[in-house]
Amino acid sequence: MSSTSDDRAAFHRISAAALDQLLRGGGDGAAIDELLSAERSRRLLLLRALYDRSIRLASNSADFPLPLDDAWESLERAQAKAPEVVEDVLMAPGTGTWLSSVLRHLRDTQNSDVPVWAMLGHLASLAAASAVGARIEFTLKVPMHEGIVSLPGLGCALLPTREDWTIARVTGNQWHVRITCGSGEVMVGPDWERRVPGWQPTRRLSLGGAPDGGVVTLEEHDPYRGFSGPTAARVVSEPEAQTWQSSLDETWKILLRDEPAHTDAMRRGLMSLTPMPRGERFRPYSSSSAEAFGAINASLPDEASELAATLVHEFQHIKLGALTHLAPLVRRVEKTDGRPELFHAPWRDDPRPLEGLLQGIYAFLGVTRFWRSNRRTADAARAPLAHFEFALWREAVWSTLNSIRFHERLTPLGRRLLESLAQTCAGWLGDAVPATELRLAREAAASHRSRWREHHLRPSPEMVHQALRAWHRGEACPPLAHTMSSLVPDGEARFLDTAAVLFRHRLTNPDGSWRDPTGGGGVRGAGPVDVLLARGDRSAARQELSKQLRHGDPAVGSWAALGSALADSSEQRAACLFLLRSPEWARAVAEALHEEHGRRPDPVALATWLSSATSRLRPTD
């Protein structure tokens, strides 16, 4: 379980060829192998640091119930007998999450519902799993939570107890494993993949329907599969598992067809899929973590092409996360009392730091690349959606790239990354997109950007007051460009992607129930106005917004929506552009007028007046 300093130096490098591929958003199977080597070295160092810390804690605590020396000794014996088995256990995504979360817990001494001994004792669970796989004799005490004993990579035992945290005993030899606690007992073996009473084996999914094409774990049991603290096992039903396999079969065929240069990398680097509850149509859930190389947590989307895009998206995150373990892309900010610098991300409701923005750019460049290919191979019914997705994410990546391309906090490697990605994306700007899909993509992008500004930007109170006085005097709107709006994150911002989601419904089911404005089209976050705009009924949307903005209690985002509703009015062109670019000013001035006089101005008249300012606002996103 050790390596020399020379070994560590070798593993913490990456070849120039692999680095160049990764910086361009790609990376073949050999590049993934290099990242995995670096991750292995890093993980061994973290494991040794944690073990040393654990031994000190255990020796200073009279009531530490788990002998971690026994776990370490079993791990070493298993490695001597079957090093490939121990390698699989140590490189499993959950092991990386466990290492990072427990070290963070010990460093920050943060409160947790999980006792320290149980978090540290997961080492014994890993050692037991390794010993079982190596088929050596052993006896270990391991943590048990509510009757569940997890042996990562093998499965979990279900014992008849519901105690919060307690200890179980695991005893094994070449043929059998016995897991006990009190009077409860589970016997497993010699076939660990066979389901027996009290034992849920870990299931595997094949990539492309053939075992020799690669497999991933359908992760139900590992307590650290959720990228944070321990989580209870969630055993999926057999029909759900079969649905995952059939969906992955179809998804892999699409990836082989549309992403042939990237499937080998994914086959080598993708290790586990954790099923999450199914999300709303066109809003599937997915996540990954730099600490859990190869793991993706995802809900089942409605179409295999959506799952393909999800896998590409998260695998991009996985690659960039591993690369940042080798060298930073962003310089750290010196500690200051000032607010952190945050940015608009077209794929998020909340403002994002620079590091998060880089991750998003890298992930959605891969998504754009996928839809660029898929739109050429999809059948006629699905092609409009693929065109829309390509145009939407091409615009999102390109605009965000250019907003931070020369940021002073970028390291030389970070600047090189953005320059490489910009070259790739620039090559796609000339690709033709059908007129309707292109228009809808641009409307969706503008809607997200303007609603984001209305939620998160606050104009200077002094300038709002000046505008207020000028309005009352019947004067022209004063220039607004010499002061910037402040970014004040609004924790209530939700569903800024509503326009994009409704457009997806429109493209895939033009006459569907989404067209009913009384129920918001069945899309979370959508109101009647959003549905009217998605249907293209701007006149009705204008009438409804005018009523809300003059006589109701308008929701945040109403001014941005009014900008979209004015898009087909040549007479209100200036007001439309102003509201799409700077809705926060209309909101702030209108609210100030209402607070001062109890009346709300005519929204179109106010927007037209604000748009007459001689200078435009400086954007802050």
Side-chain angles (χ1 to χ4, degrees):
M1 301 301 298
S2 62
S3 58
T4 67
S5 58
D6 289 342
D7 290 337
R8 290 196 297 270
F11 283 128
H12 279 293
R13 296 194 189 104
I14 190 168
S15 68
L19 179 60
D20 184 61
Q21 292 177 34
L22 292 167
L23 291 179
R24 286 186 279 114
D28 59 14
I32 299 304
D33 287 343
E34 292 190 40
L35 289 178
L36 279 167
S37 293
E39 285 294 301
R40 178 184 183 277
S41 177
R42 180 177 183 272
R43 200 163 289 184
L44 286 173
L45 292 171
L46 291 175
L47 182 62
R48 185 73 224 191
L50 177 60
Y51 176 70
D52 292 342
R53 183 85 178 268
S54 303
I55 291 299
R56 290 197 299 271
L57 283 172
S59 63
N60 293 329
S61 175
D63 59 353
F64 197 89
L66 293 177
L68 296 181
D69 277 337
D70 290 351
W72 192 262
E73 185 268 341
S74 295
L75 205 55
E76 289 184 324
R77 287 196 298 116
Q79 186 185 46
K81 172 76 180 299
E84 71 285 354
V85 169
V86 178
E87 183 83 1
D88 288 344
V89 171
L90 294 183
M91 290 305 294
T95 303
T97 301
W98 165 67
L99 282 166
S100 62
S101 60
V102 71
L103 283 169
R104 186 167 56 249
H105 176 84
L106 294 176
R107 182 176 63 250
D108 298 339
T109 62
Q110 55 190 352
N111 294 325
S112 173
D113 294 333
V114 184
V116 172
W117 70 261
M119 295 184 74
L120 295 174
H122 188 67
L123 175 65
S125 300
L126 298 175
S130 299
V132 171
R135 297 186 182 273
I136 62 174
E137 291 191 11
F138 72 98
T139 297
L140 288 170
K141 294 179 179 180
V142 302
M144 180 173 69
H145 180 55
E146 296 183 347
I148 298 175
V149 177
S150 174
L151 299 182
L154 296 176
C156 70
L158 309 176
L159 294 169
T161 178
R162 286 296 173 262
E163 287 189 60
D164 190 14
W165 284 100
T166 187
I167 295 173
R169 182 182 296 272
V170 185
T171 303
N173 56 32
Q174 184 176 359
W175 304 108
H176 298 283
V177 175
R178 181 170 177 258
I179 304 160
T180 60
C181 180
S183 60
E185 176 182 273
V186 173
M187 290 289 294
V188 187
D191 181 3
W192 322 124
E193 296 185 1
R194 181 169 172 264
R195 182 170 299 197
V196 297
W199 176 252
Q200 297 281 353
T202 296
R203 286 182 274 205
R204 304 296 197 281
L205 302 175
S206 61
L207 295 176
D212 58 356
V215 295
V216 297
T217 298
L218 184 67
E219 190 55 79
E220 309 162 82
H221 310 135
D222 193 316
Y224 289 90
R225 68 192 182 280
F227 309 144
S228 57
T231 303
R234 175 185 173 265
V235 179
V236 304
S237 66
E238 188 59 33
E240 184 180 353
Q242 291 175 0
T243 299
W244 268 101
Q245 181 62 76
S246 61
S247 181
L248 195 57
D249 288 346
E250 189 176 353
T251 295
W252 199 250
K253 291 177 183 176
I254 292 173
L255 289 171
L256 286 170
R257 181 192 69 195
D258 298 341
E259 290 266 283
H262 304 278
T263 49
D264 184 51
M266 195 175 294
R267 180 181 60 79
R268 297 195 198 192
L270 182 58
M271 299 179 186
S272 71
L273 281 170
T274 296
M276 304 300 291
R278 187 182 285 270
E280 179 185 353
R281 181 162 172 75
F282 297 123
R283 279 182 174 142
Y285 172 86
S286 67
S287 62
S288 54
S289 169
E291 304 301 335
F293 189 102
I296 295 176
N297 292 5
S299 62
L300 266 174
D302 295 275
E303 299 284 345
S305 58
E306 293 177 38
L307 181 57
T310 294
L311 296 184
V312 170
H313 175 120
E314 297 301 343
F315 198 65
Q316 290 288 104
H317 281 310
I318 288 168
K319 290 186 295 182
L320 192 63
L323 184 60
T324 58
H325 285 162
L326 292 171
L329 304 174
V330 176
R331 294 187 181 90
R332 291 184 178 181
V333 178
E334 296 295 329
K335 289 188 176 181
T336 175
D337 294 332
R339 291 178 176 173
E341 187 178 22
L342 300 171
F343 302 85
H344 170 238
W347 39 81
R348 296 279 300 221
D349 292 336
D350 56 330
R352 301 295 291 159
L354 184 59
E355 296 86 345
L357 208 62
L358 284 175
Q359 278 284 351
I361 289 169
Y362 197 80
F364 279 96
L365 182 119
V367 171
T368 308
R369 182 189 68 215
F370 167 75
W371 289 115
R372 180 174 185 255
S373 297
N374 180 261
R375 68 198 188 110
R376 297 166 179 159
T377 59
D379 60 38
R382 292 182 174 88
L385 179 63
H387 286 303
F388 170 81
E389 299 289 3
F390 168 67
L392 178 67
W393 299 122
R394 176 181 64 178
E395 162 66 19
V397 170
W398 183 248
S399 62
T400 311
L401 264 170
N402 286 309
S403 71
I404 61 165
R405 200 163 164 184
F406 304 106
H407 198 282
E408 60 183 7
R409 285 182 55 214
L410 292 171
T411 65
L413 184 62
R415 286 195 295 272
R416 184 179 166 192
L417 171 72
L418 287 185
E419 286 303 314
S420 296
L421 298 182
Q423 289 178 18
T424 299
C425 192
W428 302 337
L429 297 180
D431 288 5
V433 176
T436 297
E437 288 86 336
L438 181 62
R439 176 177 57 81
L440 294 180
R442 287 174 174 171
E443 286 186 27
S447 173
H448 189 286
R449 183 170 53 249
S450 59
R451 290 178 188 230
W452 186 94
R453 291 184 67 93
E454 190 170 339
H455 272 282
H456 299 297
L457 297 186
R458 299 290 181 272
S460 158
E462 179 183 350
M463 291 301 300
V464 170
H465 183 64
Q466 289 182 25
L468 205 62
R469 286 187 300 175
W471 172 269
H472 284 312
R473 293 171 181 169
E475 299 171 352
C477 181
L480 304 171
H482 63 273
T483 183
M484 291 194 300
S485 299
S486 300
L487 196 155
V488 182
D490 177 6
E492 300 300 315
R494 296 288 188 278
F495 307 119
L496 303 189
D497 65 340
T498 294
V501 173
L502 285 167
F503 286 151
R504 291 178 179 115
H505 282 282
R506 172 176 165 175
L507 290 168
T508 55
N509 188 13
D511 299 319
S513 60
W514 66 271
R515 296 178 61 85
D516 178 12
T518 61
V523 173
R524 285 190 302 162
V529 166
D530 300 299
V531 176
L532 291 170
L533 288 172
R535 287 167 44 177
D537 194 346
R538 299 186 195 274
S539 176
R542 284 197 296 272
Q543 293 177 23
E544 181 63 26
L545 283 165
S546 292
K547 277 195 299 185
Q548 293 178 14
L549 290 167
R550 290 205 73 172
H551 307 296
D553 184 17
V556 181
S558 297
W559 290 97
L562 181 60
S564 298
L566 294 172
D568 64 347
S569 173
S570 57
E571 296 86 357
Q572 308 298 340
R573 180 67 175 167
C576 166
L577 293 177
F578 181 86
L579 290 175
L580 290 177
R581 291 170 179 162
S582 310
E584 72 277 9
W585 278 92
R587 177 192 173 195
V589 173
E591 288 180 350
L593 285 167
H594 182 254
E595 289 173 6
E596 186 173 306
H597 299 288
R599 298 192 306 272
R600 299 184 188 276
D602 176 87
V604 176
L606 178 62
T608 301
W609 180 76
L610 287 168
S611 71
S612 67
T614 55
S615 301
R616 293 178 180 173
L617 292 171
R618 288 177 59 193
T620 62
D621 59 350

